[in-house]
Amino acid sequence: MDYGKLDVSLAAAMDAPGGDPDARNLLVTVRLHRVPTAAQREVLRDAGVEVPAPDRTVATGTVSRHGVEHLSREPWVRSLTLSATRRPLGGQP
């Protein structure tokens, strides 16, 4: 895995003990060096990333640990970041 492409939060989530490495439970933003080719779009889709519009270089998705490892090794991926934790509106602060 290329830790240089991961932000601190995602690196910590990847190193956390336990959990199923194939479970798609990490909300991730993927930044690409350039607009993805058809083959790259398929790799993104297979990893659980919502394929961006043809002219976009940023995509998001719910990815497994294995998916993050695989994407981090792709030369056309610039960076991977863990998306902010979502909380319900209202209730306790």
Side-chain angles (χ1 to χ4, degrees):
M1 179 164 33
D2 184 349
Y3 278 93
K5 293 184 180 180
L6 309 184
D7 73 340
V8 174
S9 298
L10 183 55
M14 292 296 292
D15 289 340
D20 180 0
D22 292 316
R24 291 188 176 177
N25 58 3
L26 298 169
L27 296 172
V28 175
T29 299
V30 182
R31 287 180 174 71
L32 310 173
H33 285 287
R34 56 188 54 89
V35 174
T37 65
Q40 292 166 348
R41 292 167 64 85
E42 188 64 30
V43 170
L44 291 167
R45 187 177 296 113
D46 289 347
V49 176
E50 295 176 25
V51 177
D55 62 338
R56 303 291 179 178
T57 58
V58 177
T60 60
T62 306
V63 182
S64 69
R65 289 180 181 188
H66 281 152
V68 170
E69 287 179 32
H70 178 73
L71 290 173
S72 75
R73 291 188 199 113
E74 294 291 350
W76 43 270
V77 172
R78 178 183 299 173
S79 66
L80 298 140
T81 57
L82 188 64
S83 297
T85 303
R86 296 180 181 172
R87 294 188 179 144
L89 295 175
Q92 298 179 357

